[in-house]
Amino acid sequence: MSTARERILNAVRANQPASTPLPEIIIPASEIDLSTKFTETLNNIGGKVIAVNNYADILNYLEEATATRLLNISSIPELQQLRTLDHIPRMPHSLQDTELAIIKAKFGVAENGAVWITEDLLDQRVLPFICQHLMVVLDASSIVANMHQAYEKIGMESYGYGAFIAGPSKTADIEQSLVLGAHGSRSMTIFLINA
Amino acid sequence: MHTIDHAELADVFNKDEARVDWHDETLWWIRQKRDKAVNQLPEWELLRETASKIKENVLSNLAGYLEEFEGNAQKNGIIVHWAADAKEHNQIVLNLLKGKGINKMVKSKSMLTEECHLNEHLEHNGIEVIDSDLGERIVQLAKEPPSHIVLPCIHKKKEEIGDLFHEYLGTPAGNADPQFLTETARQHLREVFLTRRAALTGVNFAVAETGEFVVCTNEGNADMGAHLSEIHIASMGMEKLIPKRENLGVFLRLLTRSATGQPITTYSSHFSKPRSGTEIHVIIVDNGRSQQLGRPDFRNSLKCIRCGSCMNTCPVYRRSGGHSYHNAIAGPIGAILAPNLDMEKYADLPFASTLCGSCSNVCPVKIDIHQQLYKWRQVIVQKGYAATGKKAAMKMMSLTLASPTAYHLGGKAGRFVMKYAPIAVNNKLNPWYKQRDMPEPPKESFGEWYTKNRKA
Ligand code: SF4
């Protein structure tokens, strides 16, 4: 007897129509000020942007934050002194009490306020989801206008896991009332470095 | 055999008029949010056209893309399975769990598993499934199916949700505050995420060229489940494929703007390789899709990206509720997908439409939804599956449309009947007037008005 795979592929081959070409994506980006648009969009979806000039500014801002229960900083040497976890956790579950996680993003997208993050920037994939609050360090110069430019930038980069994250976790499942902090982080703050 | 049809189920929904109005207005509000988001993009129509063409290319080369995806996913260390139908899909999931001695699983939103009735199958076999999307958890507690593909409990009032939480999650009686109830669900489900060894998610897009797949959520539940489990099962309808990674740019721009008016979901997660020491399994499911691919009039329905905007805009869906479609996928798109699987059981669905075309206008991949509904009606009538009432109405309609004299006479007679004997119209032969107040008939028709006024 043939396998499910063969049966499915045979049925598809028998039924698929004559081949049509794959269109090129030629979609122009609007002329916008990228940092302004990014900030505006993120504010609209419940995120917050703090403009800074350098890591010293971030350290200043975070002075009080070091008092929080557990602070995880992945892969940002400039902020390692704030880290309260002294090892890289082997099990993702051990991050469950993370109050605040600070991570770096590869770039941001102005049209939707998303930042692109790949696994190499994280201790564990679950970190930006399991923490109560998420802060992201982003270079203003890395912001692109839209998702086409975003994928152009990603290109054929290889990653085990990558994600666009746009704002705090949210739900409106109960009578369409918007509530922040469904299962992921309750807030998302971006440190936008204007260098 | 008499199967309960859409009109009867809509009658049940229509008994509570205040609730119908509320349901109608809520969905229309979401439709308006979609419009606002869409109007900000001058390139919207170009995006839709491009998306539609990409999907056309996918459907016309589906076998090749499936093989390409499989090969690349395997290179990434993902294990790929094939399921010809719902039964095979459910069996694969069960075997994977049993093989690891797992009897509890957490699941994020997957309409495909609703289509396959996976939860029931696993529960019969002693496996507990907890749905982690808040809306899905709510309908699961209520022992109901989702009534909308994006907004699973859009039919529920917050007081009813408060009662459910009181009964199952121990919240104080009478508390219906969305913030409080969401926080309760967060605590309850966090415990679930941390203790489940298996997580199942859906797939929004699978990329042939890279072997990765993308899952979109606002809540973060798919990620919480997948990143904390040792086995991640991703169930995927085979039409979810796209050729290239760069195509994601087009679809991610369209999906949430169409669905809720958001510029993107909070999380768009790209799964390419398993974490070390864990497994990712992708199940590619046919379940009637290859058959639909062979129906030239209906194959475009496989372009659907499940945004739900055809439901939000549909005057029939808004006023009859998702459950009246008695199918995992409700609304206009459900009504063209369902008859492919069982023409007799779902013969009523293509008739649950005014054919106004609003669905086709909002569809981000430009499916000719209302035209397909019209075509299904003809197929269903020809094959003898149409209920008597609808057959008569259809005959009348094609008769009046075919003959101008009959159209004018029919209009006149209709206006006369409505004016003097509204009861006669409000009968079984006229499925769309049940439970509705008859509109005030115009004193003269457009035809009469035109004849009179064009001379003036
Ligand atoms: S048919 Fe079109 S509008 Fe309806 S859910 Fe699918 S993609 Fe969205």
Side-chain angles (χ1 to χ4, degrees):
Chain A
M1 219 191 86
S2 60
T3 63
R5 180 183 185 279
E6 285 163 38
R7 274 180 287 137
I8 293 169
L9 284 172
N10 286 340
V12 170
R13 257 184 226 108
N15 287 344
Q16 68 191 16
S19 177
T20 62
L22 179 65
E24 271 196 63
I25 301 168
I26 311 167
I27 295 165
S30 332
E31 288 284 329
I32 41 167
D33 179 78
L34 298 175
S35 289
T36 311
K37 175 77 182 170
F38 178 85
T39 306
E40 230 177 66
T41 317
L42 198 75
N43 283 335
N44 283 339
I45 56 178
K48 191 174 156 190
V49 176
I50 299 171
V52 294
N53 292 316
N54 47 45
Y55 279 98
D57 287 356
I58 301 178
L59 282 168
N60 262 342
Y61 185 89
L62 286 173
E63 231 160 59
E64 314 99 84
T66 45
T68 60
R69 209 147 35 110
L70 193 57
L71 200 80
N72 185 305
I73 295 136
S74 284
S75 320
I76 313 176
E78 295 88 339
L79 299 178
Q80 279 312 305
Q81 63 198 90
L82 295 178
R83 187 178 168 112
T84 57
L85 196 71
D86 57 3
H87 61 283
I88 291 185
R90 208 175 50 83
M91 288 294 286
H93 304 77
S94 62
L95 292 168
Q96 61 170 303
D97 295 322
T98 307
E99 194 62 31
L100 170 65
I102 309 178
I103 60 177
K104 205 169 166 20
K106 296 235 157 131
F107 63 84
V109 187
E111 72 160 326
N112 54 27
V115 295
W116 172 247
I117 283 156
T118 47
E119 177 167 48
D120 52 302
L121 299 169
L122 308 170
D123 275 5
Q124 284 280 355
R125 291 180 186 183
V126 81
L127 182 64
F129 304 92
I130 205 169
C131 62
Q132 296 293 330
H133 299 277
L134 178 65
M135 290 182 161
V136 180
V137 178
L138 180 71
D139 282 327
S141 61
S142 73
I143 298 175
V144 298
N146 62 29
M147 292 300 280
H148 310 303
Q149 294 181 356
Y151 280 103
E152 218 169 274
K153 204 156 173 155
I154 295 171
M156 284 306 280
E157 182 190 335
S158 155
Y159 44 76
Y161 170 79
F164 284 104
I165 302 185
S169 149
K170 58 168 88 70
T171 181
D173 274 342
I174 302 176
E175 281 200 15
Q176 288 300 299
S177 312
L178 180 67
V179 180
L180 301 185
H183 299 303
S185 74
R186 298 175 190 272
S187 72
M188 188 199 205
T189 307
I190 304 257
F191 289 112
L192 195 59
I193 303 184
N194 295 291
Chain B
M1 190 187 84
H2 176 77
T3 47
I4 299 189
D5 73 357
H6 178 271
E8 285 170 58
L9 290 164
D11 279 354
V12 176
F13 189 74
N14 275 272
K15 290 230 164 76
D16 183 349
E17 208 170 308
R19 180 185 289 255
V20 175
D21 289 343
W22 163 78
H23 189 262
D24 182 9
E25 281 158 21
T26 307
L27 287 156
W28 187 249
W29 180 66
I30 298 167
R31 154 79 210 253
Q32 286 173 320
K33 288 203 293 182
R34 173 243 172 234
D35 291 349
K36 237 176 105 189
V38 164
N39 290 338
Q40 283 173 30
L41 291 192
E43 64 268 44
W44 184 254
E45 286 307 315
L46 181 57
L47 271 172
R48 287 177 79 212
E49 183 61 27
T50 309
S52 189
K53 286 270 150 54
I54 294 171
K55 284 283 182 180
E56 211 154 286
N57 168 267
V58 170
L59 295 178
S60 67
N61 297 279
L62 190 55
Y65 285 135
L66 284 167
E67 287 174 307
E68 187 186 347
F69 172 76
E70 180 192 41
N72 288 325
Q74 285 169 343
K75 264 185 235 155
N76 294 338
I78 291 175
I79 301 155
V80 180
H81 307 259
W82 300 75
D85 55 26
K87 211 174 133 216
E88 287 186 13
H89 166 264
N90 295 348
Q91 199 54 44
I92 291 169
V93 177
L94 182 63
N95 290 345
L96 285 171
L97 297 174
K98 278 197 164 159
K100 298 209 173 294
I102 293 173
N103 58 11
K104 288 175 171 186
M105 183 175 81
V106 64
K107 199 179 108 197
S108 73
K109 194 154 2 147
S110 150
M111 287 316 295
L112 177 60
T113 59
E114 295 292 335
E115 176 186 321
C116 294
H117 302 286
L118 175 70
N119 287 17
E120 292 90 316
H121 179 77
L122 291 180
E123 271 149 26
H124 276 143
N125 286 281
I127 290 179
E128 177 212 79
V129 184
I130 291 191
D131 284 318
S132 58
D133 172 84
L134 178 59
E136 290 220 312
R137 185 68 186 130
I138 290 165
V139 290
Q140 187 180 34
L141 291 175
K143 300 183 179 63
E144 289 173 16
S147 67
H148 187 291
I149 58 177
V150 175
L151 318 157
C153 68
I154 191 73
H155 62 292
K156 282 239 175 291
K157 293 275 202 179
K158 61 181 183 217
E159 290 76 17
E160 295 167 295
I161 298 168
D163 291 347
L164 281 169
F165 276 41
H166 172 61
E167 189 180 342
Y168 294 100
L169 304 177
T171 56
N175 193 325
D177 175 49
Q179 178 90 40
F180 174 75
L181 297 176
T182 304
E183 180 62 29
T184 304
R186 175 183 172 96
Q187 305 296 347
H188 152 65
L189 285 159
R190 201 152 259 251
E191 196 49 42
V192 172
F193 291 126
L194 284 163
T195 50
R196 294 303 181 271
R197 293 167 56 204
L200 189 144
T201 70
V203 168
N204 288 92
F205 306 100
V207 184
E209 111 182 302
T210 58
E212 73 196 308
F213 61 91
V214 176
V215 182
C216 305
T217 75
N218 280 321
E219 299 184 4
N221 55 318
D223 287 275
M224 283 292 277
H227 304 322
L228 290 169
S229 64
E230 58 187 70
I231 171 170
H232 170 189
I233 304 169
S235 294
M236 161 188 159
M238 63 183 188
E239 80 283 15
K240 291 291 155 82
L241 271 180
I242 54 173
K244 297 181 169 204
R245 188 184 267 171
E246 65 173 30
N247 301 148
L248 286 169
V250 175
F251 291 103
L252 291 180
R253 296 188 81 192
L254 288 165
L255 178 62
T256 358
R257 284 186 174 92
S258 299
T260 58
Q262 292 171 258
I264 190 170
T265 43
T266 304
Y267 307 106
S268 310
S269 302
H270 301 47
F271 292 88
S272 173
K273 295 171 192 153
R275 277 178 292 130
S276 77
T278 69
E279 293 171 14
I280 298 181
H281 295 258
V282 171
I283 310 175
I284 299 173
V285 183
D286 181 342
N287 203 35
R289 287 162 176 77
S290 60
Q291 175 177 277
Q292 186 86 322
L293 189 63
R295 301 184 198 268
D297 283 343
F298 305 109
R299 65 164 61 107
N300 271 347
S301 61
L302 296 170
K303 292 180 177 177
C304 175
I305 57 171
R306 304 285 190 269
C307 74
S309 68
C310 57
M311 304 177 184
N312 304 342
T313 202
C314 177
V316 176
Y317 175 90
R318 283 189 277 120
R319 296 199 66 81
S320 62
H323 289 156
S324 64
Y325 293 79
H326 58 97
N327 179 44
I329 299 183
I333 181 65
I336 50 183
L337 293 173
N340 170 55
L341 288 172
D342 187 335
M343 219 177 285
E344 184 169 12
K345 186 169 169 201
Y346 299 114
D348 55 316
L349 293 189
F351 295 88
S353 166
T354 62
L355 301 183
C356 70
S358 181
C359 46
S360 308
N361 287 334
V362 295
C363 177
V365 288
K366 294 181 94 166
I367 301 171
D368 51 340
I369 307 170
H370 73 293
Q371 277 153 8
Q372 292 193 32
L373 287 166
Y374 182 64
K375 286 176 190 160
W376 265 128
R377 291 183 183 185
Q378 297 170 46
V379 174
I380 284 161
V381 171
Q382 264 164 26
K383 302 232 165 168
Y385 292 132
T388 327
K390 277 158 190 164
K391 240 188 257 171
M394 275 264 291
K395 245 191 217 140
M396 192 77 92
M397 202 162 138
S398 50
L399 196 75
T400 43
L401 290 178
S403 143
T405 321
Y407 164 76
H408 286 288
L409 286 176
K412 261 183 197 150
R415 287 196 302 284
F416 177 83
V417 173
M418 277 161 71
K419 209 159 162 194
Y420 298 104
I423 292 299
V425 187
N426 197 355
N427 68 19
K428 273 253 161 198
L429 282 172
N430 202 345
W432 280 110
Y433 286 111
K434 280 194 289 175
Q435 295 283 342
R436 288 171 189 85
D437 293 329
M438 295 301 296
E440 189 70 10
K443 295 224 165 48
E444 52 185 13
S445 75
F446 174 75
E448 287 161 344
W449 176 89
Y450 183 76
T451 324
K452 209 162 74 192
N453 285 277
R454 73 171 170 185
K455 291 173 197 127

